Amino acid sequence: MLIGIIGAMEQEIKLLTKSMEITETKTIGMRDYYTGKLFGKDAVLVFSKCGKVAAASAVTCLIEVFKVDLVIFTGVAGGADRALNIGDIVVADRLVQHDMDASMLPGCKKFEIPLLGVDIFKADSRLTALGAKSARHYVSHYMAEDVSQEALTEFRITTPKVVVGTVASGDQFIADSSKVRSLTEDIPDLKCIEMEGAAVAQVCYEHGIDYIVFRVISDKADEHASINFPLFIEKTASHFTRGIVRQFISEID
């Protein structure tokens, strides 16, 4: 099995890059694709850059050029579920493009991708369950070793929750509590909001490739979202990303 791994920000995957035994680097479409061994598994790692188009471009290349069998997308997200706090982890079982609205077209409903007839992309339930299990294992066994107590205290993280639910993607950095409320009213079981996951899900759906999306909550997607975002990724989320991916791929057949 060849695993493709994507992060939208360089900081989100920098520890994975350091952990990888890189055998080849290819630059395609202004992105570097690193091929090699990651925690004993064959993998291709890429920093996609932000947004749905960037993510779709990267995952298409992973599928068409590198022929990956599984795609992992990982990074941070703004929390939509008020029960979630900074450091909590979301594993996507359903993904929706919240900025897609072609409902003025005949027979097309809000969030539906025109001509595809899909509004919600559903992840494989077996992979989702394994992803949640892997995240919980990381939190209970390795988080305290990976992340300094100073960083955990700074972001008020004790024992992060791991939840499975809906992830919404759009080409907007949401920092508006009223926008979050509107999205939670329109999208059932919405856990978090980000900029890439549903685009990755659509491309994988169209190619018949399995995928999983992990997101670490970095903010509440409200008016304070930008205050702690860069520092959280550097001190905490990058460690969560590496640890969860390491545990997840160790359990894949």
Side-chain angles (χ1 to χ4, degrees):
M1 173 180 284
L2 181 60
I3 303 167
I5 303 170
I6 310 175
M9 299 181 66
E10 195 167 15
Q11 304 98 308
E12 290 173 333
I13 62 168
K14 73 174 187 177
L15 295 182
L16 287 173
T17 307
K18 289 181 179 180
S19 298
M20 191 175 195
E21 300 171 25
I22 299 171
T23 56
E24 185 178 16
T25 302
K26 287 186 177 180
T27 303
I28 304 171
M30 301 176 69
R31 294 172 181 84
D32 292 332
Y33 293 80
Y34 303 104
T35 302
K37 290 282 188 180
L38 182 64
F39 308 125
K41 297 293 177 70
D42 294 323
V44 185
L45 179 64
V46 60
F47 155 45
S48 67
K49 305 175 188 175
C50 297
K52 293 194 300 178
V53 172
S57 176
V59 72
T60 299
C61 191
L62 286 175
I63 294 169
E64 291 292 325
V65 176
F66 294 94
K67 310 297 183 184
V68 299
D69 303 294
L70 170 67
V71 172
I72 300 172
F73 197 100
T74 183
V76 297
D81 184 338
R82 297 296 92 182
L84 295 179
N85 297 305
I86 292 175
D88 290 343
I89 299 158
V90 177
V91 184
D93 63 351
R94 293 154 54 91
L95 298 105
V96 57
Q97 296 180 36
H98 70 74
D99 57 354
M100 174 62 71
D101 187 355
S103 56
M104 294 300 293
L105 296 176
C108 196
K109 59 186 176 181
K110 191 174 182 179
F111 307 131
E112 182 178 328
I113 309 302
L115 306 180
L116 192 61
V118 177
D119 58 340
I120 299 290
F121 295 94
K122 297 179 181 180
D124 179 85
S125 59
R126 182 185 64 86
L127 290 175
T128 300
L130 181 60
K133 176 185 173 184
S134 298
R136 293 186 181 103
H137 185 87
Y138 170 76
V139 166
S140 61
H141 289 78
Y142 299 110
M143 181 190 72
E145 298 176 9
D146 276 355
V147 184
S148 71
Q149 186 57 53
E150 178 187 9
L152 294 173
T153 301
E154 180 176 359
F155 295 105
R156 299 179 182 178
I157 298 171
T158 52
T159 303
K161 294 187 289 291
V162 178
V163 300
V164 175
T166 302
V167 172
S169 308
D171 286 320
Q172 304 166 16
F173 183 91
I174 303 294
D176 182 344
S177 54
S178 64
K179 176 66 173 179
V180 176
R181 285 194 297 271
S182 176
L183 289 174
T184 56
E185 289 171 2
D186 285 346
I187 302 171
D189 194 36
L190 180 60
K191 299 301 183 187
C192 66
I193 307 166
E194 37 89 301
M195 299 176 67
E196 298 86 18
V200 169
Q202 180 179 340
V203 173
C204 289
Y205 172 85
E206 292 178 352
H207 287 80
I209 297 293
D210 283 330
Y211 62 90
I212 188 165
V213 175
F214 294 103
R215 288 295 189 176
V216 181
I217 301 300
S218 60
D219 56 83
K220 295 277 192 174
D222 58 12
E223 291 73 14
H224 304 289
S226 61
I227 294 175
N228 49 33
F229 184 73
L231 196 61
F232 175 76
I233 297 173
E234 185 70 26
K235 287 189 173 183
T236 306
S238 59
H239 295 276
F240 280 31
T241 289
R242 179 180 60 179
I244 294 168
V245 169
R246 178 177 58 203
Q247 183 63 31
F248 178 74
I249 68 175
S250 73
E251 300 200 34
I252 295 175
D253 296 332

